[in-house]
Amino acid sequence: MTATDPVGTAPAVESFPAAEAPRPAPGATPPRTPLISRAAAELVGTAALVTIVVGSGIQATRLTDDVALRLPANSTATVFGLGVLIALLGPVSGAHFNPAVTVAEWWTARRGGAGVNARELAVYVPAQIVGAIAGAVLADAMFGEPLVRWSRHDRSAGHLLLAEVVATAGLIMLIFGLARTDRLRFAPVAVASYIGAAYWFTSSTSFANPAVTIGRAFTDTFAGIAPGSVPGFIGMQAVGVVVGLALVAVIFARGDAPAVQAVRVAPDSSAPMAASTEGSTR
């Protein structure tokens, strides 16, 4: 208060803009979304993904006997469908639709990164598996196939298992590389594009997803996988997660942030005083 201020008048309170609501770190699950909503998003999203994969495979098989045409039909539908699902459900649950991604995010979170906790992991993974099975059953139902018929499509060859390591490692590196560089806004296009490409450059047609692998065992159609081949695929996908996270750690290593100049106000003074603070890494 100065000599010119009216007596009894409270000093003016300097207004500051309201602090921006905290935003989730790249890769983190939105904090204000109830867990039940996130679980539902993961279940529905994974179910829709498997429905797209299996359904487009059945449709392609019925339209042509040429395998060279079936794969483009199957992969194209998957690319567009996956991109839409990530864009739609990403703000709700993070759009994992994949236990490999969920486990990798949990691992980075427990080591100081952003991501799901153990409770969320325990909810997400079962939701994804149930969704994948439901998606396969739904696709069969829409095309008049038996609702559940174990696939006879053996995929146990060594080169297919190697392909699953490569496909899963690439997917993990892509997702967590985007997170490390704050570019997850490109995930719908980037992840869908990668899966579409991996359909063609891997001999396994890039399952890269334990839940989807389990779900596709329930349908004896173009996209199916024999139950006996499922453990091998999931085991190699787990190896791919480890390889992918190792690549992220090496390629996207965080260095020390440079020192920055912060401005603070000295006590009893309106003059700003510069203070040097060291940046820290997360």
Side-chain angles (χ1 to χ4, degrees):
M1 182 181 296
T2 65
T4 58
D5 289 332
V7 177
T9 302
V13 178
E14 187 175 0
S15 61
F16 294 92
E20 184 179 353
R23 298 171 57 192
T29 301
R32 292 192 176 91
T33 306
L35 182 56
I36 189 171
S37 297
R38 284 179 270 154
E42 287 297 303
L43 189 153
V44 171
T46 311
L49 175 59
V50 175
T51 301
I52 291 166
V53 172
V54 174
S56 61
I58 297 173
Q59 185 77 286
T61 301
R62 294 187 176 184
L63 292 175
T64 179
D65 293 328
D66 189 346
V67 178
L69 295 178
R70 292 176 182 175
L71 188 59
N74 194 211
S75 61
T76 301
T78 302
V79 167
F80 286 119
L82 180 57
V84 168
L85 290 172
I86 295 173
L88 175 64
L89 298 176
V92 179
S93 67
H96 296 186
F97 314 146
N98 187 339
V101 174
T102 303
V103 169
E105 188 175 284
W106 167 78
W107 178 258
T108 59
R110 67 187 294 274
R111 294 178 63 83
V116 298
N117 57 33
R119 177 169 174 260
E120 292 164 332
L121 173 71
V123 172
Y124 269 42
V125 172
Q128 292 158 354
I129 294 172
V130 171
I133 296 171
V137 172
L138 177 60
D140 283 340
M142 287 195 297
F143 286 92
E145 297 285 340
L147 297 185
V148 175
R149 184 166 63 183
W150 299 116
S151 175
R152 293 168 290 177
H153 193 162
D154 180 73
R155 299 178 189 262
S156 58
H159 64 281
L160 300 178
L161 299 178
L162 174 61
E164 279 303 290
V165 175
V166 173
T168 309
L171 178 63
I172 295 299
M173 186 173 72
L174 170 62
I175 293 172
F176 288 86
L178 289 175
R180 283 283 183 98
T181 56
D182 196 20
R183 294 179 179 176
L184 275 177
R185 60 189 178 278
F186 299 121
V189 172
V191 173
S193 298
Y194 173 79
I195 293 299
Y199 256 89
W200 289 88
F201 75 75
T202 65
S203 57
S204 65
T205 65
S206 183
F207 284 48
N209 185 327
V212 169
T213 303
I214 293 171
R216 288 168 68 166
F218 283 74
T219 176
D220 191 21
T221 58
F222 178 76
I225 176 173
S229 300
V230 169
F233 261 48
I234 293 178
M236 293 303 100
Q237 290 159 1
V239 173
V241 170
V242 174
V243 173
L245 288 177
L247 290 173
V248 170
V250 172
I251 296 173
F252 300 98
R254 294 189 180 99
D256 292 332
V260 295
Q261 290 292 320
V263 176
R264 62 182 175 86
V265 178
D268 302 323
S269 171
S270 60
M273 181 169 63
S276 177
T277 61
E278 290 294 328
S280 61
T281 59
R282 290 190 292 115

